[in-house]
Amino acid sequence: RWLDGPTLETVIAQGPLPIPRAIAIALQILDALDYCHQNGVLHRDVKPANIMMEQDRAYLIDFGVACYLAAPQARMDLSGTAAYMSPEQIQAPASADQRSDVYGFGCVLYEMLTGRPPFPLNANESVTDDQIKYMQITATPISPRVFNPNIDAALERIVLTALAKDPAQRFAGCGSFALALRSPAKTPSSLGPAISVFAAGWIMSCLSVPAAGVNVAWFVGIVGTALAGLLLAQREGKLS
């Protein structure tokens, strides 16, 4: 059918979405992705530009780099958009399965709620696609609650679970991702730390210092790893 409406990318450009609207859109797209996966298709390029809006309906579009889950040889190419690619999609594309689309939509949900994707960490800094891919693999995302304090702890856990670096620690599929959004209280604690308000401010100030090449991403990855335990405790104490 012909869709006469803006993309989600255009909608988000106006600012973060109200949380109920973001969740309503998420449930529609997750149901569409789950249908694809149940029928053996991996989208591989889930992003706001590939979601069209028509009034209150959201439609998943552009299956140009989609492939069959049963054909790993078809996933050897490095397809996708850096800001929404899962770590395994970057490092070992043939191993990517439905959990890669879970990660991609986790990035989209993060952006709907905050107005910006999780990576790069400093949205005002000019970085290359390769630097963003490095952050996807190594860097800890800033808690979405830093940018939108209306996000509660349950929703934060859902977003961060979808963004787990290890596919085994994410939702098993988009169906379980949607189920968690419908019943957030039942979602287990986040499987990875997020950078807290205090740490985010410190790191963002560091990132404002000019740096070349991949050094920024490397620095962020090291900081995120070294402070993981501290930041998790801080987040639970200050943001819950």
Side-chain angles (χ1 to χ4, degrees), residues 179-195:
L179 181 62
L181 283 174
R182 290 183 171 102
S183 306
K186 298 179 181 179
T187 305
S189 296
S190 172
L191 296 163
I195 296 176

Side-chain angles (χ1 to χ4, degrees), residues 101-130:
D101 281 351
V102 166
Y103 186 97
F105 192 75
C107 294
V108 173
L109 179 56
Y110 185 108
E111 188 169 355
M112 283 197 289
L113 294 169
T114 66
R116 46 161 290 162
F119 302 108
L121 293 174
N122 186 346
N124 296 319
E125 184 172 9
S126 177
V127 295
T128 66
D129 279 357
D130 285 342

Side-chain angles (χ1 to χ4, degrees), residues 2-193:
W2 176 261
L3 296 175
D4 185 17
T7 65
L8 182 58
E9 181 180 46
T10 300
V11 174
I12 295 174
Q14 300 172 20
L17 276 60
I19 290 175
R21 187 182 185 200
I23 291 176
I25 292 171
L27 291 174
Q28 293 177 58
I29 298 302
L30 288 171
D31 285 347
L33 285 167
D34 188 49
Y35 179 85
C36 292
H37 299 157
Q38 293 295 332
N39 286 276
V41 175
L42 185 66
H43 190 283
R44 295 204 300 172
D45 198 18
V46 181
K47 60 183 179 182
N50 285 341
I51 296 171
M52 285 201 70
M53 302 300 302
E54 192 174 63
Q55 296 180 352
D56 293 330
R57 292 293 304 171
Y59 297 88
L60 182 65
I61 63 170
D62 195 348
F63 285 73
V65 298
C67 64
Y68 287 110
L69 284 163
Q73 68 276 8
R75 303 196 296 275
M76 294 299 292
D77 60 310
L78 193 62
S79 295
T81 302
Y84 308 93
M85 291 175 75
S86 67
E88 67 273 17
Q89 194 174 353
I90 297 165
Q91 294 180 294
S95 71
D97 58 20
Q98 72 278 358
R99 294 169 296 182
S100 185
D101 281 351
V102 166
Y103 186 97
F105 192 75
C107 294
V108 173
L109 179 56
Y110 185 108
E111 188 169 355
M112 283 197 289
L113 294 169
T114 66
R116 46 161 290 162
F119 302 108
L121 293 174
N122 186 346
N124 296 319
E125 184 172 9
S126 177
V127 295
T128 66
D129 279 357
D130 285 342
Q131 287 174 304
I132 294 175
K133 290 174 184 176
Y134 189 83
M135 292 181 196
Q136 296 285 24
I137 296 167
T138 64
T140 302
I142 298 171
S143 165
R145 297 170 78 184
V146 171
F147 306 109
N148 185 350
N150 294 319
I151 297 171
D152 63 24
L155 182 54
E156 179 196 46
R157 285 196 298 270
I158 291 170
V159 174
L160 296 179
T161 298
L163 293 177
K165 302 299 185 187
D166 181 356
Q169 293 187 327
R170 293 178 212 145
F171 298 107
C174 288
S176 55
F177 191 169
L179 181 62
L181 283 174
R182 290 183 171 102
S183 306
K186 298 179 181 179
T187 305
S189 296
S190 172
L191 296 163

Side-chain angles (χ1 to χ4, degrees), residues 187-230:
T187 305
S189 296
S190 172
L191 296 163
I195 296 176
S196 66
V197 175
F198 172 81
W202 177 66
I203 289 175
M204 296 291 272
S205 68
C206 292
L207 289 178
S208 66
V209 178
V214 79
N215 292 337
V216 171
W218 175 86
F219 172 75
V220 172
I222 293 299
V223 169
T225 302
L227 298 180
L230 173 62

